[in-house]
Amino acid sequence: MKRRIILIPCAYIAWELIRRFPQVWHPDRVDLITPAISSASAIQSNRNFFTLVAMLILLLTLYFLPRDDEVGSRSPTKKTETPLTYFGVGLLFFALVIAATNVYINPWHLYPTNWAPSRIENSRSDKIQLFQELNHAPEILVLGTSRSYAISASQIQDLTGMDAFNAAVLNGRLIDYLLFAQYVYRANPESPPKLILAEVNGLSGLDEENTLLNTPYPWISFLPLDQRFEWWTFRVKHLFSASQLADAIYSIRYFDLYSGLDKFWEEWTLDSSGSGTRETTPYFNEILENVISRDPDVSCHFSELSPYYSDLIRLASSHGTRILFFTVPYHPQYYSEVLALDPDYQTCKKLIEDFMAKQIESGAPVTYVNFDQLASIHGVDTNLGFYDHQHITPLNSSLLIDALAPTIQEQLMP
Amino acid sequence: MRITSYGFLFGLLPLFYLVYWYVVKSARARTIVLLFLSFSFYLLAGGGWLLLLVLVSFLTFYASRTRWLNLGIILNLLPLLLFKFAISLGTGTAAEILGFDLILPLGISYFTFKHIGYLIDVKQKRIAPAESLINFLCFSAFFAQLVAGPISSYAETGPELAQEKTLLTRKALFQAATFIVFGLSKKLLLADVLANTLTADIARIQSASILWSWGMLLAYTFQIYFDFTGYTDLVLGIALLFGIQLPENFNNPLGSSSPREFWARWHISLSFWFRYYVYFPLSRSLFRRWGKENAHWAEYLSLLLTMFLIGVWHDFTAGFVIWGLYNGLLLSIQSWGSRYRIGIEPPLLKQTFFLVSILFGFSFLVYPDLHSILAFQSGLVGFQGWGEFSVDPVTLASFLISGALILVGSTEAANFDWPKSRLSGLLLAILAVLCVLHLGNDVFVFAYARF
């Protein structure tokens, strides 16, 4: 009789699961699958669904397990083999189903499979694919983050007469620069790039989690041994990740909708030379005001990044490539109201300048141009020039290349 | 590395299980494997003080074979007291004095208690000194109980480590699996869900209404309990995989109907240790000094001092000290009531009254500072109105499950016989897989690992 108390939470959880099911599986809930903003809550909602299922199973297991003091009164003892076999086979079966789903649907692009359209895209894999499709080895390579995404490789090509490729990646970190550069050198050992245009950003740290999550398979041989091991264990661990499974379920359920979605994060569209564009937002002023009103503190990570910059310079110079480091401009309002007042940013700027000066002094094939203030490229401060406070549109990117043009040409002179 | 990490559960543990049972055959070789595993685990779990563990284990082993047993006890207590005291000064102050950040060596309380218990047992000739150093080191550092107990005596665990073992039967293997799956379920599905709620809501102390305060207090109590009993089931199951039976640490304490019963069911190995090595000698000594006519005063004082020490052992903070004394007071009141045959009837009222008083005791631990504790308690007694307490459905489900398990008395894996039907075997398998899915979430550190 007392045991039946367990049925009370059982009933509540069952009711809650029934109530939630349409939220997880309803075709009209398109808002749940649109990228970025609403997805986090949707995935959390799915994870909670798994937690409730697990709680229900826990209760049922407890309900059906004989208690020590009841053993004598229950059904005669059966052989241990049968329930043990069910446990072992069940464990293997369910574990395999989950792992197979995560690998086959591959919603986070962690595995080499590519069966279903994914909500989360990996711009590194996309850029590698575009790079592999190039007819010529690029002579100029752009390395950077999403802030350099809109830089037009065609414009650089027109300016210099050399093939260029924009290898900037979303949420890019310095380790991505190094990995992409190594990948390019290995892919074209006979014709390495003559010039690398590398965006300098002292405000984004190393972010190992990001590296583990986003580094695509073709790059892992360039990772240090310990990170390579972590890269593999990360993928093994995520065979059984509830969040990835939640994403996989969305991918299966909304297959058609996913296929129809624009392929790139925040609706970026890439051309064949790797340059990305996205639609300008009509809410530009609100976005800008919102960012500034939060008065975000920035942190300088340049000290931890400088060894990687040195590695990149060494790598380039060993292949006879020159590097032109540049800074992408911020929106002037954001710059004057946040960055100009932030001592960390000013320190960072000084650290970068000192580092670059030291490199140039030591004879490294390096040049540095700082364009963090929009005025230095005569840029446009409306939504025609910016997507938000720090991402420039093709228009400002084009003005940035114009401003860089003399230095680029100078670097390419024999 | 944590005991709930993928690396341990799917890497180190299966590897050593295979080596332990299938590569080496003799009891001595198995003990060495277990010792190696324990040291590896200690280092990987962040145990930078492995040398300290080895050193005090050596000292204890050799002290037990000489007449320097008391010195052995002092040398064991010294590091524990020093670390606890230094950390109670605040990490900033300790770091200033020492020049580096001080953290409590992993499991220091637990191996110290084991050593002291062992030395007292040898001194009082209850057991003979350990014969093998390897065996003793293994007893000291046994990885399953190193982080947060249970504290076993050498008389219990020593012989188990030394004896020849035969391969685990299917039943034993299944029992181990049942313990591990239940342990993980309680930790991940109950304790961690409640910990999330506490982390998100605990700061709302300024608007502590009566409903909110009792809701938070219940969440805190359930969270601590299911975290620790989940950990215990997990380590009991892991030890079973190596053919070692560790003592139980809980037996549905929140279903108790008196303070004495509660302390016989809550953190059993610690309560037993303090009862056996602190309370009994203390009360005997006071009894001898004060005589038979004052025996009851000797008992009350011993209870208060023992519980005070339990509180201080947890932490040198005001909250823990008051919590210890409060529980000493509850035990003394019960003792006083028994003396004059005063009790509460009917049993349901007694149980409710007791539960409320023990829950109130936990209110001293919810916040680290006395000011917040008092504000919280003013909410508990209703000084800030009724208010409301709302939780999300998952938290509500964990509340309901916790309550149901306590009422039914199904809180510990040891309460159950091994699964005998296909259905329960299958359900256990599904539960195991769902627990593994939850391992990917941010798993909270076991609450008792910090003591």
Side-chain angles (χ1 to χ4, degrees):
Chain A
M1 176 60 200
K2 217 175 167 189
R3 179 193 288 258
R4 291 194 187 150
I5 293 174
I6 286 179
L7 295 176
I8 298 171
C10 266
Y12 171 72
I13 293 170
W15 177 77
E16 191 60 39
L17 285 173
I18 293 166
R19 198 176 69 84
R20 275 169 177 252
F21 190 72
Q23 290 177 17
V24 177
W25 203 249
H26 200 281
D28 294 338
R29 295 297 304 271
V30 182
D31 60 311
L32 289 177
I33 62 152
T34 48
I37 300 162
S38 58
S39 61
S41 60
I43 301 305
Q44 187 57 42
S45 150
N46 249 5
R47 265 168 52 165
N48 286 345
F49 195 80
F50 291 139
T51 307
L52 287 168
V53 172
M55 285 173 167
L56 187 64
I57 301 291
L58 168 66
L59 288 168
L60 291 175
T61 313
L62 290 172
Y63 188 76
F64 286 108
L65 265 184
R67 281 175 56 99
D68 255 357
D69 47 8
E70 296 170 345
V71 173
S73 61
R74 288 179 72 82
S75 58
T77 306
K78 290 179 186 169
K79 281 184 184 172
T80 325
E81 280 77 0
T82 316
L84 183 63
T85 310
Y86 270 70
F87 173 73
V89 172
L91 189 69
L92 270 178
F93 174 77
F94 290 111
L96 277 175
V97 165
I98 288 169
T101 308
N102 277 340
V103 171
Y104 195 53
I105 308 298
N106 194 15
W108 291 2
H109 281 268
L110 293 180
Y111 313 103
T113 47
N114 194 21
W115 173 77
S118 172
R119 188 180 57 77
I120 297 168
E121 289 295 335
N122 185 339
S123 70
R124 289 146 188 81
S125 303
D126 298 327
K127 290 270 172 131
I128 287 177
Q129 200 181 331
L130 290 172
F131 181 81
Q132 285 169 343
E133 287 166 7
L134 291 176
N135 295 324
H136 307 283
E139 292 165 289
I140 299 176
L141 190 69
V142 180
L143 297 175
T145 69
S146 53
R147 301 185 64 219
S148 302
Y149 225 54
I151 288 177
S152 164
S154 320
Q155 189 189 352
I156 299 173
Q157 217 159 311
D158 293 343
L159 183 79
T160 60
M162 292 180 175
D163 287 327
F165 183 75
N166 184 336
V169 292
L170 301 181
N171 206 7
R173 307 286 155 154
L174 212 57
I175 185 88
D176 295 308
Y177 296 16
L178 264 171
L179 296 175
F180 214 134
Q182 289 182 77
Y183 176 73
V184 170
Y185 285 128
R186 195 178 63 180
N188 303 305
E190 301 304 321
S191 45
K194 290 189 171 59
L195 177 67
I196 288 177
L197 299 180
E199 175 198 332
V200 179
N201 186 352
L203 304 183
S204 302
L206 291 170
D207 195 352
E208 282 181 19
E209 179 84 6
N210 181 34
T211 308
L212 290 178
L213 182 68
N214 289 323
T215 302
Y217 182 75
W219 288 0
I220 60 155
S221 57
F222 306 126
L223 285 172
L225 203 61
D226 57 333
Q227 282 192 29
R228 221 180 293 177
F229 177 73
E230 278 183 43
W231 189 93
W232 281 108
T233 48
F234 188 82
R235 270 135 194 86
V236 173
K237 261 164 48 174
H238 280 79
L239 287 174
F240 304 103
S241 151
S243 300
Q244 189 171 213
L245 185 66
D247 256 348
I249 290 172
Y250 274 110
S251 298
I252 301 168
R253 178 65 187 92
Y254 300 107
F255 188 96
D256 293 338
L257 283 165
Y258 268 64
S259 309
L261 277 177
D262 204 325
K263 205 180 169 206
F264 297 102
W265 179 68
E266 288 177 355
E267 299 174 36
W268 286 98
T269 308
L270 290 179
D271 66 17
S272 60
S273 62
S275 308
T277 50
R278 67 187 220 227
E279 275 183 36
T280 51
T281 168
Y283 307 110
F284 172 71
N285 287 326
E286 286 88 333
I287 292 171
L288 188 62
E289 284 301 326
N290 188 27
V291 171
I292 293 169
S293 66
R294 278 192 274 122
D295 192 16
D297 275 337
V298 295
S299 312
C300 182
H301 297 276
F302 192 74
S303 307
E304 65 185 82
L305 297 176
S306 56
Y308 289 85
Y309 276 102
S310 302
D311 284 350
L312 183 65
I313 293 166
R314 261 195 300 274
L315 177 73
S317 96
S318 70
H319 288 87
T321 310
R322 296 194 65 82
I323 307 188
L324 167 52
F325 286 106
F326 66 97
T327 317
V328 178
Y330 292 94
H331 191 275
Q333 198 182 336
Y334 174 76
Y335 186 90
S336 59
E337 291 182 35
V338 176
L339 298 181
L341 306 175
D342 196 306
D344 271 1
Y345 182 76
Q346 298 307 325
T347 312
C348 215
K349 217 167 141 174
K350 179 84 177 52
L351 279 174
I352 293 169
E353 279 165 6
D354 291 348
F355 174 85
M356 295 299 174
K358 208 177 275 177
Q359 293 295 328
I360 294 164
E361 215 172 88
S362 68
V366 168
T367 313
Y368 172 57
V369 190
N370 178 17
F371 288 137
D372 65 347
Q373 295 187 58
L374 188 64
S376 57
I377 65 161
H378 308 291
V380 178
D381 67 356
T382 64
N383 67 342
L384 297 175
F386 280 91
Y387 294 119
D388 53 37
H389 64 295
Q390 61 172 351
H391 290 99
I392 52 175
T393 62
L395 175 60
N396 273 343
S397 297
S398 161
L399 294 170
L400 174 70
I401 293 300
D402 286 346
L404 275 172
T407 323
I408 292 175
Q409 274 155 349
E410 192 183 296
Q411 294 299 307
L412 290 171
M413 284 205 316
Chain B
M1 178 178 277
R2 293 185 199 164
I3 215 159
T4 49
S5 67
Y6 285 102
F8 178 76
L9 287 173
F10 302 110
L12 211 57
L13 186 62
L15 177 74
F16 276 90
Y17 176 82
L18 291 175
V19 174
Y20 185 80
W21 288 112
Y22 297 103
V23 176
V24 296
K25 299 290 176 192
S26 72
R28 190 171 167 75
R30 281 186 176 144
T31 313
I32 292 170
V33 168
L34 214 52
L35 186 61
F36 186 64
L37 167 61
S38 300
F39 284 169
S40 312
F41 175 73
Y42 193 80
L43 285 172
L44 290 168
W49 293 94
L50 179 63
L51 202 63
L52 175 74
L53 165 65
V54 174
L55 190 70
V56 288
S57 303
F58 266 114
L59 286 172
T60 309
F61 177 76
Y62 287 109
S64 72
R65 304 167 78 85
T66 62
R67 284 177 298 163
W68 301 95
L69 291 155
N70 287 336
L71 183 68
I73 294 172
I74 292 166
L75 288 175
N76 265 287
L77 267 178
L78 217 57
L80 177 66
L81 292 176
L82 282 176
F83 273 103
K84 286 263 182 186
F85 177 69
I87 285 169
S88 75
L89 291 175
T91 44
T93 318
E96 226 169 76
I97 297 167
L98 297 166
F100 59 88
D101 280 337
L102 192 65
I103 48 160
L104 198 66
L106 192 69
I108 187 170
S109 296
Y110 301 96
F111 63 73
T112 303
F113 285 156
K114 282 204 287 189
H115 289 164
I116 293 174
Y118 163 72
L119 287 171
I120 295 175
D121 285 347
V122 171
K123 190 180 173 190
Q124 296 181 348
K125 300 197 180 347
R126 277 194 288 267
I127 56 168
E131 285 177 9
S132 152
L133 175 64
I134 298 285
N135 205 41
F136 185 77
L137 280 174
C138 197
F139 160 73
S140 295
F142 181 40
F143 73 97
Q145 54 183 155
L146 191 57
V147 177
I151 307 157
S152 60
S153 68
Y154 189 74
E156 285 170 311
T157 313
E160 284 212 53
L161 290 165
Q163 74 188 13
E164 289 287 345
K165 294 183 186 75
T166 49
L167 268 178
L168 290 184
T169 60
R170 281 163 182 256
K171 185 180 167 183
L173 198 61
F174 209 174
Q175 262 173 340
T178 311
F179 270 81
I180 291 172
V181 175
F182 273 154
L184 282 175
S185 311
K186 284 190 280 186
K187 166 72 177 151
L188 301 170
L189 304 178
L190 302 179
D192 279 7
V193 168
L194 293 166
N196 268 322
T197 304
L198 283 164
T199 312
D201 282 359
I202 206 82
R204 286 172 45 205
I205 182 72
Q206 297 313 323
S207 54
S209 65
I210 192 164
L211 284 176
W212 181 88
S213 303
W214 280 100
M216 280 290 117
L217 186 57
L218 212 55
Y220 178 81
T221 310
F222 285 166
Q223 189 257 326
I224 289 286
Y225 170 50
F226 283 107
D227 183 277
F228 203 7
T229 177
Y231 164 83
T232 305
D233 280 351
L234 186 59
V235 298
L236 257 54
I238 290 170
L240 277 176
L241 284 178
F242 293 87
I244 293 158
Q245 191 144 17
L246 292 177
E248 286 295 322
N249 223 6
F250 290 93
N251 185 15
N252 195 17
L254 295 171
S256 312
S257 53
S258 73
R260 194 171 295 160
E261 195 185 341
F262 175 82
W263 281 101
R265 292 168 167 216
W266 174 277
H267 204 168
I268 296 168
S269 64
L270 181 83
S271 309
F272 176 83
W273 194 94
F274 271 93
R275 192 163 58 238
Y276 211 69
Y277 300 114
V278 178
Y279 171 74
F280 284 155
L282 189 66
S283 58
R284 265 200 304 269
S285 150
L286 289 174
F287 180 75
R288 272 199 292 270
R289 278 165 195 246
W290 294 355
K292 199 177 172 186
E293 63 279 11
N294 287 320
H296 54 288
W297 290 112
E299 189 188 356
Y300 303 154
L301 188 63
S302 307
L303 283 169
L304 277 171
L305 278 173
T306 307
M307 295 314 292
F308 166 77
L309 286 176
I310 288 182
V312 166
W313 166 73
H314 280 86
D315 210 340
F316 277 142
T317 56
F320 275 103
V321 171
I322 299 171
W323 173 73
L325 288 170
Y326 174 84
N327 276 283
L329 193 69
L330 286 183
L331 286 163
S332 301
I333 291 171
Q334 187 189 356
S335 185
W336 173 81
S338 310
R339 186 174 147 86
Y340 295 103
R341 296 178 193 285
I342 298 169
I344 302 171
E345 292 293 337
L348 187 66
L349 184 67
K350 184 182 172 188
Q351 199 157 358
T352 312
F353 179 77
F354 164 70
L355 191 64
V356 170
S357 60
I358 212 78
L359 281 176
F360 189 79
F362 280 117
S363 72
F364 291 106
L365 312 180
V366 180
Y367 292 92
D369 62 296
L370 214 51
H371 180 74
S372 303
I373 292 170
L374 290 174
F376 184 57
Q377 288 176 339
S378 77
L380 285 174
V381 292
F383 286 170
Q384 299 189 48
W386 281 97
E388 58 179 40
F389 178 62
S390 60
V391 287
D392 63 278
V394 179
T395 310
L396 182 59
S398 63
F399 266 115
L400 288 174
I401 296 171
S402 306
L405 296 191
I406 289 163
L407 283 173
V408 177
S410 298
T411 44
E412 268 66 56
N415 297 144
F416 296 96
D417 200 20
W418 51 277
K420 287 183 176 148
S421 70
R422 290 167 186 173
L423 179 65
S424 44
L426 200 61
L427 285 171
L428 204 64
I430 301 173
L431 187 60
V433 174
L434 287 167
C435 282
V436 173
L437 275 183
H438 282 79
L439 279 179
N441 299 352
D442 297 328
V443 180
F444 284 81
V445 180
F446 283 108
Y448 262 73
R450 74 186 171 100
F451 300 125

